[in-house]
Amino acid sequence: MRNHFRKIAKISLILVYLVIAAGAIVRMTGSGMGCPDWPKCFGYYIPPTEASQLTWQGNHHYKKGQVIIMDESLRVAKQDFTTSNAYTAAHWESYTKHAYALFNPWHTWIEFINRLFGALAGLATLVLAIASFRYWKEKKSITILSVLVVFAMGFQAWLGATVVYSVLEPAKITIHMVMALVIVAMLLYLIERTKEGGQHLLFDKHLYRLLFLAALLSLLQIIMGTQVRQFVDHQIDLVGESAKHLWLQNPTITFYVHRSFSILVVILNALIAYRISRESLGYQKIRWVMSLILLEIISGMAMYYFDFPFSSQPIHLILATFLFGTQFYLVLEVLNAKRSPKTL
């Protein structure tokens, strides 16, 4: 199992990124309330596909917890029972978490797929934790962190539930996003710490500080980006989905700070790339960083100047999370190189 630990960690990382991508698509399509309850979806493990499945029916068997929509509200079955020809209120109770009671099959299944990826990622991290016990005698930190990843995934699932219960409160969406990046960082640490051999790299304390600052700046950019998205969502509610040219009309100060910080991101990472090249430090992943920054800028400009082309929003977010992950991994590589006697 130990020989496969790193592979399992990489699979877990891929699945977490798929969850992030699915979450971005959920946000783009407005599908966040596609499943108004949690962890089930309208009380089903496999969500409904037609509105008739959520309409009260006579002579129909309902199981405890199944949901119907009646009088623009959700009703939950109190126990297993079969209906008669008339609706009996005593068999049902009102859903009290929130008052959202709409059904859109596309939104429901997009949100369900998002949750499915989350469940697969959680299962992968559980397998990772089991595999990590092979490291207990010589690297207890690997086992401890692997177990913490499982708890972090559980906490992330709980955060997902609070997002639904709050009917997509923006602050909770932001916290949910940041927690996903924390899990990414934990998995990257496990991947780096269990690496054997590889290219020899030189430790440079100045590079370490610059890389740490760059990763922190990217994290702040992602947080501000979620706030900008909150403004865009509000504009969509006001002017409609077809008036894309008005989505960034009179934006908040956060938008201008977010846009201006992109210049700082480019300058800082260009300095990092220059230092790595000048000192021949060997950190090749800086090329990934510069490529991701270029694509991030292009997607941001496309949204602003071409009125949010299709899928530009989730692509912009996904690129930002890839950028943060790559920068954080570079930080870990520098720390790992610190064990080498060759330093600058």
Side-chain angles (χ1 to χ4, degrees):
M1 184 69 78
R2 176 170 172 171
N3 295 334
H4 299 293
F5 178 85
R6 226 164 158 263
K7 292 181 181 179
I8 299 170
K10 290 180 179 180
I11 291 172
S12 299
L13 180 64
I14 292 170
L15 287 171
V16 169
Y17 266 117
L18 284 174
V19 175
I20 292 173
I25 294 172
V26 166
R27 193 84 189 271
M28 177 189 73
T29 57
S31 303
M33 292 303 294
C35 294
D37 49 335
W38 191 94
K40 294 182 180 181
C41 190
F42 288 102
Y44 294 87
Y45 288 108
I46 305 297
T49 56
E50 298 178 358
S52 60
Q53 294 176 261
L54 298 173
T55 303
W56 182 88
Q57 300 176 42
N59 300 314
H60 182 79
H61 183 73
Y62 288 96
K63 294 182 179 180
K64 182 179 180 180
Q66 286 186 339
V67 175
I68 62 171
I69 298 177
M70 177 168 282
D71 299 328
E72 299 183 350
S73 64
L74 299 179
R75 306 290 173 84
V76 184
K78 293 181 179 180
Q79 65 276 319
D80 295 358
F81 70 96
T82 300
T83 59
S84 60
N85 291 327
Y87 174 79
T88 304
H91 289 154
W92 305 89
E93 59 185 359
S94 298
Y95 189 76
T96 58
K97 297 291 185 180
H98 55 72
Y100 187 92
L102 296 176
F103 173 69
N104 180 309
W106 286 105
H107 289 176
T108 293
W109 276 85
I110 290 172
E111 171 60 15
F112 174 71
I113 292 171
N114 176 40
R115 295 186 184 186
L116 183 60
F117 278 137
L120 291 174
L123 180 61
T125 58
L126 179 61
V127 174
L128 183 71
I130 294 171
S132 71
F133 280 93
R134 294 283 186 174
Y135 286 95
W136 179 251
K137 290 184 178 180
E138 59 180 278
K139 291 182 180 179
K140 289 182 173 60
S141 61
I142 299 297
T143 303
I144 293 171
L145 185 60
S146 298
V147 173
L148 286 176
V149 169
V150 177
F151 282 101
M153 289 296 293
F155 181 64
Q156 179 73 332
W158 176 80
L159 283 175
T162 64
V163 168
V164 172
Y165 296 153
S166 68
V167 194
L168 312 181
E169 183 180 325
K172 292 184 178 180
I173 293 175
T174 300
I175 294 171
H176 195 49
M177 180 74 251
V178 172
M179 189 62 203
L181 295 177
V182 169
I183 294 171
V184 165
M186 295 169 76
L187 289 170
L188 286 171
Y189 178 86
L190 290 171
I191 292 170
E192 170 61 21
R193 287 290 287 120
T194 53
K195 182 172 65 175
E196 297 179 1
Q199 182 182 4
H200 178 69
L201 302 172
L202 296 177
F203 173 71
D204 180 0
K205 64 179 180 180
H206 299 296
L207 178 65
Y208 168 72
R209 292 169 182 169
L210 289 172
L211 282 169
F212 185 85
L213 179 60
L216 180 61
L217 189 58
S218 292
L219 179 61
L220 291 174
Q221 279 286 76
I222 291 172
I223 293 173
M224 285 191 289
T226 62
Q227 301 305 308
V228 173
R229 180 56 203 256
Q230 174 187 343
F231 171 79
V232 171
D233 288 344
H234 178 67
Q235 289 293 97
I236 292 173
D237 291 337
L238 291 178
V239 303
E241 294 187 2
S242 60
K244 293 183 177 182
H245 61 289
L246 298 177
W247 287 2
L248 280 175
Q249 187 179 44
N250 301 320
T252 61
I253 188 64
T254 304
F255 167 77
Y256 294 107
V257 175
H258 178 65
R259 187 175 64 177
S260 298
F261 264 39
S262 63
I263 301 174
L264 182 58
V265 168
V266 172
I267 294 173
L268 178 58
N269 285 277
L271 286 173
I272 291 171
Y274 174 72
R275 185 171 185 85
I276 290 173
S277 176
R278 186 189 67 184
E279 304 295 342
S280 299
L281 299 176
Y283 296 92
Q284 297 300 316
K285 290 184 179 62
I286 190 62
R287 298 176 181 177
W288 300 9
V289 169
M290 299 309 295
S291 298
L292 286 168
I293 289 174
L294 176 62
L295 293 173
E296 184 77 345
I297 291 173
I298 292 172
S299 64
M301 292 177 65
M303 285 191 292
Y304 185 75
Y305 291 107
F306 298 100
D307 298 330
F308 297 87
F310 177 75
S311 76
S312 58
Q313 289 176 295
I315 288 174
H316 192 64
L317 174 60
I318 293 166
L319 288 171
T321 61
F322 283 160
L323 175 61
F324 169 79
T326 307
Q327 290 171 322
F328 185 78
Y329 195 78
L330 277 168
V331 171
L332 295 175
E333 284 190 327
V334 176
L335 287 176
N336 190 42
K338 191 175 182 180
R339 303 187 186 95
S340 171
K342 294 183 179 181
T343 60
L344 293 178

